[in-house]
Amino acid sequence: MKFPTLVLLTCLLSLLAPMNLVAETGPMNGTVAETIDAGGYTYIRIKDSDTWIATATMEVSEGDPIEYSGGAEMLDFHSKSLDRTFESIWFVQKVSITEQDASRQAAAQGHAPIPAGTPRDAATAAPAPGSIEKLDGGKNVEEILSDRAALHGQTVSLRAKVIKVSENIMGMNWITLQDGTGAAPDNKLLAISSEMVAVGEVVTAKGVLENDVDLGSGYLYKVLLEEATFSKSN
């Protein structure tokens, strides 16, 4: 993320924990003491400082020397996928392994690959009603919105079209989904993910539903799909 724009993005803060915003002042270095992959993230404990950092899923091992920069500290952050609360953890934008061959370095960057032709904040037209078949065993947008109280905290799946992608906001991608059901404004669902999808693509999305999320500055969402993962849908 371009940190000069950070002030404009303070509405997109932690959904469940306090956050301290910091400017990108330069890279930090450390040695990996522990690593855990879960929920689309790689969690890394730095040996010397005993600091936890997290980034998009990457290949890294205990003992690797790493360099990291950019991001924000989240206090008392609870990871649903790990069922663990971190007293302090830094969600960082860039992580790289130093002193290694070029092929592994390319695989170790802390960013999900971006499909060709997907510009920042790209958008496309909404699908027509009835044009997207409901996922077998899943929900549609209208059902998710109407049943949000009962679905709070649960993992839900749906088939939908990617309408808009806001890339790399606070290290995550904010993806708007629609499937032709529901009436405005309850006809779209915002998913937060470390993965990237192409605008206009029909996907199967899966994530944990959170209700009545207040991001501040007037940004209030009836529902958000957290820790979202995607697969191509037929």
Side-chain angles (χ1 to χ4, degrees):
M1 185 176 71
K2 300 298 184 181
F3 273 77
T5 65
L6 189 57
V7 174
L8 299 178
L9 302 175
T10 54
C11 60
L12 302 176
L13 303 179
S14 164
L15 304 180
L16 298 174
M19 174 182 283
N20 292 331
L21 300 180
V22 294
E24 185 174 17
T25 56
M28 301 288 289
N29 293 277
T31 302
V32 176
E34 182 181 353
T35 178
I36 307 170
D37 289 333
Y41 295 93
T42 294
Y43 296 82
I44 301 169
R45 182 168 64 87
I46 307 301
K47 183 177 181 179
D48 296 335
S49 62
D50 203 33
T51 299
W52 279 98
I53 66 173
T55 191
T57 302
M58 62 178 288
E59 180 186 350
V60 65
S61 302
E62 181 180 348
D64 282 342
I66 62 170
E67 181 178 279
Y68 58 96
S69 62
E73 181 185 23
M74 297 179 70
L75 305 176
D76 298 321
F77 172 77
H78 182 74
S79 168
K80 295 183 181 67
S81 54
L82 293 176
D83 192 22
R84 174 175 177 175
T85 299
F86 294 87
E87 183 178 342
S88 170
I89 187 168
W90 289 82
F91 281 80
V92 297
Q93 181 187 4
K94 299 177 182 177
V95 178
S96 60
I97 301 173
T98 58
E99 302 175 10
Q100 63 174 4
D101 62 89
S103 61
R104 190 176 177 199
Q105 176 72 27
Q109 298 299 321
H111 295 282
I114 301 172
T118 303
R120 182 183 301 273
D121 293 328
T124 191
S131 62
I132 296 179
E133 184 178 356
K134 180 181 174 182
L135 180 68
D136 186 23
K139 301 285 186 180
N140 60 36
V141 171
E142 184 175 28
E143 291 172 339
I144 290 171
L145 269 294
S146 62
D147 297 338
R148 62 186 182 277
L151 294 172
H152 176 68
Q154 296 188 24
T155 299
V156 298
S157 300
L158 72 156
R159 179 184 289 120
K161 182 180 180 181
V162 179
I163 300 302
K164 182 178 179 180
V165 174
S166 295
E167 175 198 333
N168 203 12
I169 297 175
M170 298 305 298
M172 300 296 289
N173 300 312
W174 297 66
I175 298 161
T176 302
L177 303 170
Q178 288 187 256
D179 62 4
T181 66
D186 295 337
N187 61 344
K188 57 188 175 181
L189 180 64
L190 183 61
I192 306 171
S193 179
S194 60
E195 298 181 8
M196 177 58 77
V197 289
V199 170
E201 186 177 17
V202 176
V203 298
T204 296
K206 181 179 180 180
V208 178
L209 198 72
E210 293 294 336
N211 294 340
D212 302 321
V213 181
D214 188 354
L215 300 179
S217 301
Y219 287 81
L220 179 64
Y221 295 89
K222 289 183 178 180
V223 295
L224 286 177
L225 194 66
E226 295 185 10
E227 301 179 9
T229 59
F230 300 92
S231 60
K232 291 186 177 181
S233 187
N234 296 327

